[in-house]
Structure formats: structure tokens, C-alpha cells
Amino acid sequence: MKIDAVTIFPEYFAPLKLSLLGKASESGIVDFHIHDLRHFASNNHHSVDDTPYGGGAGMVMLPQIWGLALDPIMVDDTDLIILTPAGKRFDQAMAAKFSTARHLIFACGRYEGIDDRVRQYYSSELFVGRNIRVHEVSIGDYVLSGGEVASLVMIEAITRLLPGVLGNPESLNEESHNHDGYLEYPNFTKPSIWRNIAVPEILLSGNHAEITKWRNEQAQRRAEKNL
Ligand code: JF5
């Protein structure tokens, strides 16, 4: 999978070199390219934004600059992801869907966001015919200062699903352990008593049928929020 990100702060993407993502990149499973939007700014001040038509607070990112940045990387069969608090909520199902994509582009807005004509332009029939899809995505109901951290969240959730990235792929798919991608029962390890708190007896019993039953009950309680 190829992943491009366009940003005025390329340094935000330094963590892509670390841990699981770093290894996935070194092994060629994923190919990251981070682009500095400011390189496409042409005036003396290298401006990437201007005041909003219709008035109001803040600044809006210039469509011409985004067009120059996106045109050369917008190949056939691409999913362009625009991060915005107003987008469709990112969840595990969306991560699974994007993990089957060939090419993702993350457009990281700052200020009040990107001129909406960028979304409109790359959503047009011409691009639909080239298998280019545009998605406005939110990682949650809060406002960040830019799309960079939201992109990192999505990149981590998506790339860990790629074949060969996780050491133990069984932990991804085991139905009884998997509820939207995370464990919902409480976990314990050594020592069996820590600061006078004991691990539940059942987990030390070796009775795997009873352990599975107990874990399912715990997961159920947590799902019902009467923890
Ligand atoms: C952003 C305008 C983009 O704040 C976010 C965000 C919140 N949830 N998901 C994404 O993105 C940055 C802020 C303002 C455009």
C-alpha cells in the first residue's frame, strides 16, 4: 500500500519511522511519502491560506496550492481522505475497508480547513471514472489544530491490519476475542497478587471453557456499561 500525506508540518509524521509502522515501512509492506504543502506556495510569503469569502473568523486554505500538491500524486485507484471534524466518524470497520486500498492520500488541513472546491473537484465524474474516491473523515467529536494527528491515528489503525504487519495475525480475527478490533474483557499478568489485589481465581484454574465463559460475561457487562 502507498500512503501519501500532504501537510504544512511534515515533522508531525516522524513517528512513522518507529515501532510497527517503521518495520512495515522498512519491509516494503507500506510506502510512506510525506509532502510539504508549503513547497507549492508561490507568493513571497509562501502563503497557503487567505480570508474566507462571506466573512467570519480564521483563514481558509487556498485551493490552487492544494491542486498543485495533489495533481501529481492523484493516480488511478486512489482514496483521498480529507480530515475534518465534520466528516464521517472513523471506526474499526472503516479502518478494515481502507486497509484493502492500494493508495491513500491524507490531506491535512489547518486553520478553518481547506476551500471546499478541492473536495468538489476531486469528487467530479472525471475522477470517479479513474477510481478516485474522496472521503471527509473525523476521528472524533473534538477540534484539533490540524489534520496531522488525526491522520496518524488512521494510519496506525489501518496499517496494522495489512498482512505481515502484526506478529500474531490470529489476535486480529479470533471471533471470541474480537469486538470491533479490541479486547473487551479485563486482562491480568504476573504477579497473581499486586498491592493486595488478586487476579480473579478463575483465570488461574486452567479450565479454559470456564475462562472463556467468564471473559464473555465480563465483555458483556462492559458492553452494557454497568462495569
Ligand atoms: C482540522 C479544519 C481540519 O480537527 C480535526 C479533526 C477532529 N476530528 N477529526 C479530525 O481535524 C483538523 C481542523 C479544522 C480542518
Side-chain angles (χ1 to χ4, degrees):
M1 175 187 286
K2 184 182 182 223
I3 297 182
D4 289 293
V6 183
T7 171
I8 59 168
F9 292 120
E11 296 90 344
Y12 261 103
F13 291 87
L16 297 182
K17 295 193 190 306
L18 304 177
S19 188
L20 224 54
L21 259 44
K23 287 190 188 90
S25 179
E26 277 177 35
S27 71
I29 296 171
V30 61
D31 186 17
F32 294 118
H33 294 268
I34 312 304
H35 309 268
D36 187 347
L37 185 70
R38 202 113 20 214
H39 286 157
F40 301 92
S42 48
N43 75 7
N44 283 338
H45 296 96
H46 290 273
S47 306
V48 295
D49 61 343
D50 207 335
T51 54
Y53 276 121
M59 301 289 269
V60 176
M61 295 187 104
L62 297 163
Q64 307 97 306
I65 315 286
W66 276 99
L68 291 173
L70 291 174
D71 283 342
I73 55 178
M74 201 61 86
V75 297
D76 290 4
D77 200 356
T78 290
D79 288 276
L80 171 64
I81 297 166
I82 301 174
L83 284 309
T84 160
K88 183 180 174 198
R89 178 72 65 85
F90 183 60
D91 61 11
Q92 192 63 28
M94 199 191 292
K97 201 160 228 175
F98 282 135
S99 76
T100 68
R102 282 183 47 168
H103 179 213
L104 301 178
I105 301 176
F106 289 88
C108 302
R110 286 255 147 189
Y111 318 107
E112 304 312 306
I114 303 168
D115 187 308
D116 191 59
R117 289 170 292 180
V118 175
R119 177 192 63 77
Q120 291 175 38
Y121 176 75
Y122 293 107
S123 302
S124 71
E125 278 310 319
L126 177 70
F127 290 96
V128 171
R130 295 176 54 193
N131 276 314
I132 290 165
R133 297 157 291 273
V134 181
H135 314 265
E136 288 190 295
V137 180
S138 162
I139 63 158
D141 285 341
Y142 34 80
V143 181
L144 304 170
S145 298
E148 289 78 7
V149 170
S151 295
L152 284 174
V153 167
M154 290 187 64
I155 289 168
E156 182 160 313
I158 292 164
T159 55
R160 66 187 290 286
L161 301 178
L162 297 176
V165 172
L166 280 194
N168 172 18
E170 269 121 79
S171 64
L172 274 178
N173 265 335
E174 222 190 296
E175 193 57 44
S176 62
H177 287 198
N178 189 298
H179 302 267
D180 260 334
Y182 51 88
L183 299 174
E184 289 182 4
Y185 55 77
N187 291 296
F188 303 90
T189 185
K190 270 76 75 183
S192 64
I193 301 175
W194 175 76
R195 298 189 182 181
N196 210 31
I197 308 171
V199 170
E201 270 304 324
I202 185 72
L203 297 179
L204 312 177
S205 70
N207 185 336
H208 293 293
E210 284 300 312
I211 290 170
T212 297
K213 200 177 125 208
W214 181 86
R215 282 177 167 171
N216 286 339
E217 286 164 6
Q218 293 291 311
Q220 192 59 41
R221 281 179 54 189
R222 286 184 156 194
E224 289 163 4
K225 290 195 194 298
N226 49 5
L227 212 147

